[in-house]
């Protein structure tokens, strides 16, 4: 029997909840809209409508993937960040709402004049494109180790018609010339310890380990970015990094020991330590 939209959604929500999804209502609605290529309002407007047979097949295929735990963002290939619809792929981290806090704090530190800004480990280009879209007078460079990620970020840039960003591939600062300097450097680097049990739960199981896990209790990449950042920050420039909620003190310690000033930690929307920053006085 071909179920109408409301009954189909109800059934899907039950299946997703049983499979352990933490957001069964949103998951079901997003996947159904993707299968029938309609906005969310359609589901509320036409609850009694039945679908074309091919649309049921398409929805079943999307549901089957979600029921194995695959993140919705990878299934539909898209996630919104800072109101920008971004393409995502399994070789990039899925942008998180908490990372919008890093964008807010960075916007606060970008000087009023036109300047250069760098985003390390850019992935989908989420942070770089959010900053470039807010400040059309600055130039944002995004770097990712993986060429596929840099290419995806570039495709997102072109798709969103954001002219003032560019993407490069290489390890941290390596694609840059030695004397290239920036007013602000931001990064959401890998910072999870390899033994953290949370790596075996939810969406992170499907995300690239290279974007999540760092040696030295998750601090190894933060240390490299901070150390080498001193060469690539202009005098008075700011470094801002996202980190785990228990890493604030350790990251402040790293920045202090490297000679950064005005070192401070800011909290995410849940009130947890999430971003630490420091000023390089040159
Ligand atoms: N905040 C992400 C998580 O805990 C991890 C992001 C990262 O490692 N940069 O799921």
């Amino acid at each position: 029997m071909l179920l109408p939209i409301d009954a189909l959604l109800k059934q899907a929500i039950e299946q997703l909840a049983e499979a352990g999804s933490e957001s069964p209502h949103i998951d079901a609605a997003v996947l159904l809209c993707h299968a029938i290529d309609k906005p969310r309002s359609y589901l509320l407007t036409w609850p009694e409508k039945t679908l074309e047979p091919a649309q049921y097949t398409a929805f079943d295929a999307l549901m089957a993937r979600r029921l194995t735990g695959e993140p919705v963002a990878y299934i539909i290939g898209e996630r919104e960040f800072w109101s920008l619809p971004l393409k995502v792929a399994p070789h990039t981290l899925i942008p998180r709402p908490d990372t919008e806090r890093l964008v807010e704090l960075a916007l606060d530190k970008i000087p009023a004049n036109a300047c250069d800004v760098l985003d390390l480990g850019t992935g989908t280009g989420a942070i770089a494109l959010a900053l470039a879209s807010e400040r059309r007078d600055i130039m944002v460079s995004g770097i990712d180790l993986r060429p596929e990620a840099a290419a995806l970020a570039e495709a997102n840039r072109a798709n969103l018609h954001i002219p003032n960003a560019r993407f490069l591939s290489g390890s941290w600062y390596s694609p840059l010339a030695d004397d290239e300097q920036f007013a602000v450097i931001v990064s959401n680097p890998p910072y999870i310890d390899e033994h953290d049990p949370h790596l075996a739960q939810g969406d992170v199981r499907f995300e690239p380990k290279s974007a999540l896990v760092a040696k030295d209790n998750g601090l190894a990449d933060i240390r490299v970015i901070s150390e080498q950042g001193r060469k690539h920050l202009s005098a008075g420039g700011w470094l801002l990094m996202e980190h785990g909620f228990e890493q604030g003190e350790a990251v402040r310690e790293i920045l202090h020991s490297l000679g950064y000033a005005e070192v401070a930690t800011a909290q995410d929307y849940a009130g947890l330590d999430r971003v630490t920053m420091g000023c390089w006085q040159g």
Side-chain angles (χ1 to χ4, degrees):
M1 192 184 65
L2 300 182
L3 294 175
I5 283 176
D6 56 355
L8 185 64
L9 274 175
K10 186 165 176 283
Q11 186 186 63
I13 290 164
E14 283 167 11
Q15 289 171 341
L16 289 162
E18 202 168 312
S21 164
E22 283 172 11
S23 49
H25 290 80
I26 298 173
D27 293 1
V30 169
L31 294 178
L32 185 53
C33 289
H34 189 69
I36 64 177
D37 195 22
K38 290 279 191 294
R40 289 277 275 281
S41 55
Y42 188 91
L43 306 182
L44 300 171
T45 316
W46 304 106
E48 275 127 57
K49 214 173 156 70
T50 48
L51 309 174
E52 301 295 323
Q55 294 177 317
Y56 288 98
T57 314
F59 181 58
D60 282 349
L62 301 176
M63 277 291 291
R65 289 173 66 181
R66 182 61 188 139
L67 289 170
T68 69
E70 187 175 348
V72 171
Y74 287 154
I75 298 172
I76 67 167
E78 195 171 291
R79 172 54 53 93
E80 193 164 294
F81 180 82
W82 202 263
S83 301
L84 304 172
L86 297 170
K87 300 271 175 244
V88 302
H91 51 263
T92 59
L93 195 74
I94 300 165
R96 312 277 203 272
D98 276 335
T99 303
E100 294 183 350
R101 185 78 181 111
L102 177 61
V103 171
E104 279 177 2
L105 293 160
L107 285 171
D108 215 43
K109 294 299 184 197
I110 297 174
N113 56 305
C115 62
D116 292 318
V117 170
L118 177 64
D119 172 27
L120 291 174
T122 196
T124 57
I127 300 168
L129 293 170
L131 295 174
S133 72
E134 288 293 326
R135 285 286 304 269
R136 295 294 172 133
D137 59 326
I138 64 172
M139 180 67 198
V140 187
S141 301
I143 296 178
D144 202 280
L145 180 61
R146 304 177 72 146
E148 317 93 284
L152 180 70
E154 169 54 27
N156 279 325
R157 185 203 67 72
N159 193 30
L160 293 164
H161 305 288
I162 296 174
N164 53 320
R166 62 165 187 164
F167 294 97
L168 306 166
S169 170
S171 173
W172 303 127
Y173 302 90
S174 66
L176 300 173
D178 266 1
D179 60 353
E180 255 180 290
Q181 292 197 320
F182 300 86
V184 170
I185 298 175
V186 293
S187 184
N188 174 17
Y191 55 69
I192 300 177
D193 180 72
E194 58 190 326
H195 303 300
D196 191 325
H198 135 242
L199 289 169
Q201 298 157 16
D203 284 6
V204 292
R205 288 172 300 165
F206 291 80
E207 293 180 290
K209 290 283 170 289
S210 61
L212 293 167
V213 175
K215 293 197 181 348
D216 189 13
N217 299 319
L219 293 168
D221 291 306
I222 285 178
R223 190 165 280 123
V224 171
I225 290 166
S226 307
E227 242 166 43
Q228 298 177 14
R230 297 177 297 178
K231 196 166 70 184
H232 292 286
L233 280 166
S234 39
W238 284 86
L239 170 64
L240 301 99
M241 293 173 293
E242 181 174 321
H243 53 69
F245 72 100
E246 293 169 316
Q247 293 173 326
E249 194 180 340
V251 179
R252 288 196 300 277
E253 180 51 40
I254 290 171
L255 291 180
H256 276 306
S257 71
L258 291 168
Y260 285 84
E262 297 182 57
V263 174
T265 298
Q267 286 70 44
D268 63 17
Y269 305 116
L272 301 169
D273 281 0
R274 185 63 61 195
V275 176
T276 291
M277 65 201 96
C279 180
W280 183 246
Q281 284 163 343

